[in-house]
Amino acid sequence: MSDRKLQVVPLGGLGEFGMNIMALRYGDDIIVIDCGMMFPEAELLGVDIVTPDLTYLVENREHVRALFLTHGHEDHIGAVPYFLAEFNVPIYGTAFTLALVERRLEEHELEQEPQLRTVEPRQTVEAGPFKVEFIHVTHSVVDCVALAITTPLGVVIHTGDFKIDPTPLDSDPFDLHTLADYGKRGVLLLLSDSTNVDRPGYTESERAVRPRMEDIFNRAPRRVIVSCFSSSIHRMQMILDVSAEFGRKVALVGRSMTSSTEIAHSLGQLTIPDGVLIRTQDVMQVAPQKLTVLISGTQGEPMSALSRVAVDNHKHVSAERGDTVVLSSRIIPGNEKAIFRMIDHMARRGADVMYGNMNPPIHVSGHASIEELTLMLNLVRPKYFVPIHGEYRQMAKHQRLAEHLRHSGLKDSFVLETGNTLEIDEKGARKGGTVTVGRVCIDSGTIDEVVEDIVIRDRRHLSEDGIVLPIVAINKHTGRSETLPEVVTRGFAIADDGPDLIQASRMVVAKTLEGSSPEEMGDWGVMKEKIRADLKRYIAKQTQRRPLIMPVILEV
Ligand SMILES: [Zn+2]
Ligand SMILES: [Zn+2]
């Protein structure tokens, strides 16, 4: 047995943002940690879900023993349905994490019942030669764990995503004691979150947001429209509490908002103050100064509820002069343009938009800054260190941070990128060979509510009603469309109404373009949505059918 080695096989998330997945292999046994998707690039919104290439695991199918999930963010669980299509092994996670997985699975038909096993912090699970203990950590979603994995060669600590919040909203602090215990007994390898290694000091506690929220609610003359990630249960709790305190009713808008509230409420992780919630359709009946709207769409996704409100295209909610709009989330790199355009639209409507860096903060990160990362290294005191979750520069910086541990036991550290393996045996640790990795674009949708919606809807559309592609050419210099838009159809039988319907559809699109302001023309996300909505209405009226409409805008 002494010639056996431990292999660390990152299949995603090292040297790239999102899509976290890693395999640990000892002899003939493999366990997998997380299985996330990648946040699609802004241009891909509504087009692709990006998931990791699972070839390595498929080729070693008979060795895969279990999947362990650290928490419920999309970049850690988003690809679980695709994993389950290939492997029917036990999946371990906390209650909230697995509830989010189940919500995701509702849109997929699996041949076998998945083996979802709920675990609690301090519980230990065995899989082949691995013994895995779950350790409670704090982050921007509830019910997060780090993993302490005991292998025949020693203990591997995988932090998952974390920050060290000394005053979390649920008063359930980071379990530093258990980590320190492992550190004392000796840890072979630490794999630690590098996302915020560029930030000095400590990440602020979730509680730090409360004074800012109170201040906003105190001053707001009319509606407060707050957007945060639908998985940020603590943030939502705070907004519910502050609303109740200021005598405001709360409407939840956006499917992901409603469903994560339901999940968290049913698990006892969210307390809804009595009588505070109202139905979305009743929003207009509540006096503006007595209303909070909690809405999804912080990243300016063109189909999200908040984006629709920004261009006054939402059925129940509008932003008007004097309303306060709060973006309580970070701007994910790549989404800046879409977000700032959305904010511009709100500002034009006369809303006061609060976003970005403020003091006290309007949003705090869920990832550890330098001092917390250092504390993690000092507590765990690993023999080997591999930074995870980050771009290359962040992992390189995290590696340098670890070098001070050379006097307290660190033997070596390695920056690995997705696909590079590390081998550890009794003689030591070294970089190993590479394995097949890559990105797989699976289906259409965006990262938030639209994923669930669109995926199901697309399939139905395509099989029954076909697809309609309005194609608009916009002149680069004038910003206007100077030719009549084209409309191409597939699987959308037009039968009797024939070419006339196509011709009429082209006119409908042309009319939408004419009726749009230069600002809207400059925002392709908005234009696509307007074209889609107008054409959908027209075709439904003429034919009682609902084809999938995918506008294409080209700059010529
Ligand atoms: Zn996370
Ligand atoms: Zn993450």
Side-chain angles (χ1 to χ4, degrees), residues 426-463:
E426 311 235 285
K427 290 187 220 82
R430 69 203 73 85
K431 283 194 181 180
T434 56
V435 301
T436 307
V437 289
R439 298 171 185 189
V440 182
C441 298
I442 297 231
D443 217 328
S444 56
T446 67
I447 54 171
D448 204 63
E449 63 189 321
V450 191
V451 168
E452 300 129 32
D453 281 337
I454 292 271
V455 174
I456 314 167
R457 226 167 46 213
D458 279 2
R459 295 204 178 115
R460 207 190 59 222
H461 275 308
L462 291 173
S463 60

Side-chain angles (χ1 to χ4, degrees), residues 135-147:
I135 303 173
H136 176 68
V137 301
T138 45
H139 180 44
S140 49
V141 58
V142 295
D143 240 4
C144 297
V145 288
L147 307 174

Side-chain angles (χ1 to χ4, degrees), residues 71 73 76 139 161:
H71 66 290
H73 276 149
H76 297 259
H139 180 44
D161 284 353

Side-chain angles (χ1 to χ4, degrees), residues 7-240:
Q7 281 175 295
V8 178
V9 187
L11 298 173
L14 273 68
E16 58 194 350
F17 180 67
M19 204 172 84
N20 298 297
I21 173 169
M22 172 176 279
L24 286 187
R25 177 176 194 148
Y26 182 81
D28 278 340
D29 297 282
I30 295 174
I31 56 170
V32 183
I33 301 163
D34 288 336
C35 190
M37 60 177 251
M38 181 171 277
F39 295 107
E41 306 269 315
E43 312 83 73
L44 287 181
L45 280 180
V47 181
D48 291 304
I49 293 173
V50 184
T51 64
D53 183 334
L54 301 178
T55 300
Y56 170 78
L57 298 176
V58 171
E59 283 173 352
N60 291 285
R61 184 185 297 281
E62 68 276 20
H63 304 307
V64 177
R65 302 286 170 253
L67 170 63
F68 293 87
L69 300 175
T70 59
H71 66 290
H73 276 149
E74 297 289 8
D75 56 323
H76 297 259
I77 65 163
V80 170
Y82 308 104
F83 177 89
L84 275 171
E86 292 283 350
F87 309 95
N88 189 22
V89 297
I91 300 185
Y92 297 96
T94 58
F96 185 72
T97 305
L98 290 185
L100 293 181
V101 168
E102 276 182 342
R103 181 176 78 179
R104 268 200 155 265
L105 292 179
E106 281 166 17
E107 13 166 310
H108 297 263
E109 275 178 33
L110 293 171
E111 281 169 25
Q112 291 154 303
E113 192 62 26
Q115 307 174 49
L116 303 181
R117 311 252 169 101
T118 308
V119 294
E120 292 195 358
R122 301 308 314 273
Q123 195 177 325
T124 300
V125 162
E126 287 191 34
F130 302 99
K131 273 198 204 73
V132 181
E133 178 174 359
F134 303 86
I135 303 173
H136 176 68
V137 301
T138 45
H139 180 44
S140 49
V141 58
V142 295
D143 240 4
C144 297
V145 288
L147 307 174
I149 305 153
T150 304
T151 76
L153 286 171
V155 173
V156 177
I157 304 269
H158 185 295
T159 64
D161 284 353
F162 76 99
K163 68 174 179 180
I164 301 177
D165 190 340
T167 57
L169 221 61
D170 58 3
S171 304
D172 189 2
F174 195 115
D175 187 357
L176 290 170
H177 298 284
T178 301
L179 268 181
D181 260 3
Y182 275 103
K184 232 182 278 169
R185 282 179 275 148
V187 168
L188 179 69
L189 169 69
L190 172 64
L191 304 157
S192 183
D193 177 12
S194 314
T195 310
N196 266 358
V197 73
D198 292 322
R199 296 181 42 160
Y202 292 88
T203 302
E204 286 155 299
S205 168
E206 177 65 25
R207 260 176 228 273
V209 177
R210 175 128 187 164
R212 169 63 60 191
M213 285 294 171
E214 284 177 346
D215 183 57
I216 289 171
F217 276 74
N218 204 10
R219 292 160 187 256
R222 285 173 50 93
R223 286 185 200 122
V224 180
I225 301 174
V226 193
S227 192
C228 66
F229 285 116
S230 63
S231 55
S232 304
I233 301 302
H234 286 160
R235 191 72 48 83
M236 288 158 73
Q237 179 75 63
M238 185 183 296
I239 291 156
L240 285 167

